[in-house]
Amino acid sequence: MSAPHVGPHASSHGDGPFTPVAEHVRTCLDLVRPLPPLDLALRDALGCVLAEDVVSPRPLPAFDNSGMDGYAVRLRDVEGASEESPVGLPVVVDIAAGSGDPMRLPGGACARIMTGAPVPAGAEAVVPVEWTDRGVAHVTVRRVPRPGQHVRRAGEDVAAGVVVVEAGTRLQPRHVGVLAAVGRARVRVRPRPRVVVVSTGTEVVEPGAALAPGQLHDANGYLLTAAAEDVGALAYRVGVVADDAAALASVLDDQLVRADVVVTSGGVSEGAYDTVKEVLSGRAAERAGHRVRFERVAVQPGMPQGAGTLGEQRVPVFTLPGNPVSSFVSFEVFVRPALRRMLGAQGPDPDRPRVRAVAAERWTSPPAKEQYVRCAWTRGHDGRLHVAPVSGHGSHLVTALARTTCLAVVPVGTSEVEVGDEVECVLLGPLPVEQP
């Protein structure tokens, strides 16, 4: 990578200092706290982050049970059984799944048993029904099982007192199944933050509406709502608000009652109709209790950013640029970590792993900014990840997002990336496991 001497706060255009990306990330994180945990029914906890270690109160399985439909036997009673020389045994009892009557298997006999049914004391294995003539009162056994074969021992899955799901886990269907298996009907979780998404712009109209000259459809509102839900939040998309300060102020005031976080797109630059900046800065904003700081962040795309709180409720707000790609990158870099913190998630984001990859193409980068390049990764013959841009640098080039599988991060001070250079990449999803 080419790295000219450009300081971290310098601008390549001579138009003032930039705020480093890491500093703005800290600003966003400082605005939020993990939401207080609450007790939820297990059915309602999907997608929430567990706020407690869940311990199994009993062994799982709780008792020795059969792994097959078949016959519970003592090994000495079927010794030598084969296709040529089968062994016959009387069937003294049928044991169904759910049976709670304890019994001891007498010598010289067997018990017909169903999958999941408790294995009688004294039984040493289960002969699958396929190895027999399927007898009811008397059965012929044609194969000898190994000791313990087809018997699920008590505690084989987990012993009593062992943690089965750790605090900080975002509950997915497989976790819900485990919690139910150990008997938990309710769990203590961090609630999903309520995120209100507001798109701004007189030129923006709803998808499905016919476009008049100069208009465009609201990609940002849908993109940001989906992105918030993907993190685990409950997201509410507000209809597009025109470039009217009074209308936007009214919408924001109305939404605070149901918002843990507000995310806006558009209206944060230096233009005459940048309404978000107009409403959330100055004396009128102070009187309304809004405290929002607007900054020029050293990031490409997405330089104009704002973050702060709304109203006396101090609801966190993140104001993102209006170009769709800028909005997407801004969410990934600044808003997603904040929402994860509210959810109580800990450690690196498992859905956004950072890896080192090899540049498969050359591209340029503004040396005063940290660049996030939309790329697609492939696995090279060397086994490493190779990445190539899927579009130009323009933050209005939205369709390439559909082909983007990672964001290549080019640090401040770098003017170009050459073929073969190693770059850090944020994967937009877990890295698939290599097939053997």
Side-chain angles (χ1 to χ4, degrees), residues 71 73 77-89 110 126-135 138-146 149:
Y71 299 84
V73 298
D77 293 332
V78 293
E79 187 175 357
S82 66
E83 293 289 342
E84 296 76 20
S85 180
V87 171
L89 291 173
C110 69
V126 171
V127 177
V129 68
E130 294 84 358
W131 297 1
T132 73
D133 66 352
R134 303 173 185 264
H138 184 278
V139 66
T140 298
V141 177
R142 299 189 177 91
R143 289 178 61 181
V144 180
R146 299 187 307 274
Q149 190 168 8

Side-chain angles (χ1 to χ4, degrees), residues 12 115 120 311 413 417 421:
S12 59
T115 302
V417 175
D421 283 346

Side-chain angles (χ1 to χ4, degrees), residues 49-404:
V49 173
L50 198 61
E52 60 173 337
D53 287 340
V54 174
V55 172
S56 180
R58 62 185 64 83
L60 194 66
F63 53 88
D64 292 353
N65 68 90
S66 178
M68 298 284 287
D69 291 342
Y71 299 84
V73 298
R74 295 175 182 268
L75 292 177
R76 66 174 179 269
D77 293 332
V78 293
E79 187 175 357
S82 66
E83 293 289 342
E84 296 76 20
S85 180
V87 171
L89 291 173
V91 179
V92 294
V93 67
D94 272 3
I95 307 176
S99 172
D101 297 328
M103 66 160 291
R104 173 168 288 277
L105 184 67
C110 69
R112 193 166 71 140
I113 193 167
M114 306 303 139
T115 302
V119 173
E124 297 168 305
V126 171
V127 177
V129 68
E130 294 84 358
W131 297 1
T132 73
D133 66 352
R134 303 173 185 264
V136 176
H138 184 278
V139 66
T140 298
V141 177
R142 299 189 177 91
R143 289 178 61 181
V144 180
R146 299 187 307 274
Q149 190 168 8
H150 304 306
V151 176
R152 304 164 176 165
R153 296 298 182 189
E156 183 179 283
D157 190 353
V158 67
V162 172
V163 174
V164 291
V165 187
E166 297 179 347
T169 301
R170 181 181 170 191
L171 296 180
Q172 299 182 29
R174 64 182 186 274
H175 303 120
V176 172
V178 170
L179 295 173
V182 299
R184 291 295 293 265
R186 306 185 68 85
V187 286
R188 192 165 177 79
V189 296
R190 303 280 181 185
R192 301 168 67 185
R194 300 165 299 168
V195 179
V196 170
V197 176
V198 181
S199 299
T200 66
T202 302
E203 77 282 14
V204 183
V205 299
E206 291 290 328
L211 292 177
Q215 291 185 327
L216 52 88
H217 289 126
D218 179 27
N220 288 358
Y222 285 88
L223 184 154
L224 295 173
T225 301
E229 290 177 341
D230 182 59
V231 181
L234 295 171
Y236 306 98
R237 176 183 169 270
V238 177
V240 180
V241 181
D243 291 321
D244 179 278
L248 178 59
S250 177
V251 167
L252 293 177
D253 287 344
D254 289 344
Q255 294 299 320
L256 293 185
V257 69
R258 67 167 177 172
D260 295 310
V261 173
V262 173
V263 178
T264 70
S265 66
V268 294
S269 192
E270 305 292 338
Y273 299 100
D274 285 321
T275 314
V276 171
K277 199 169 185 179
E278 178 184 351
V279 170
L280 299 182
S281 58
R283 292 184 178 179
E286 291 179 7
R287 288 194 297 271
H290 305 325
R291 301 170 180 84
V292 181
R293 180 178 175 181
F294 293 92
E295 299 184 288
R296 292 157 37 81
V297 179
V299 62
Q300 187 199 55
M303 179 186 69
Q305 299 285 335
T309 60
L310 299 179
E312 297 306 322
Q313 304 96 316
R314 305 297 298 273
V315 174
V317 61
F318 305 106
T319 67
L320 310 183
N323 281 316
V325 177
S326 298
S327 193
F328 169 74
V329 170
S330 298
F331 184 94
E332 288 291 324
V333 177
F334 304 119
V335 182
R336 184 181 177 94
L339 295 183
R340 291 191 74 246
R341 185 175 190 189
M342 297 182 76
L343 282 160
Q346 302 170 3
D349 188 341
D351 294 320
R352 295 295 184 268
R354 288 185 174 245
V355 300
R356 305 296 294 182
V358 178
E361 294 182 14
R362 177 189 179 276
W363 71 82
T364 61
S365 181
K369 296 179 180 179
E370 187 171 299
Q371 186 188 45
Y372 287 77
V373 183
R374 288 152 285 160
C375 289
W377 65 263
T378 56
R379 183 80 68 178
H381 295 300
D382 56 2
R384 301 186 65 189
L385 296 188
H386 292 243
V387 296
V390 296
S391 177
H393 295 335
S395 56
H396 62 293
L397 303 174
V398 65
T399 58
L401 285 177
R403 304 191 304 277
T404 300

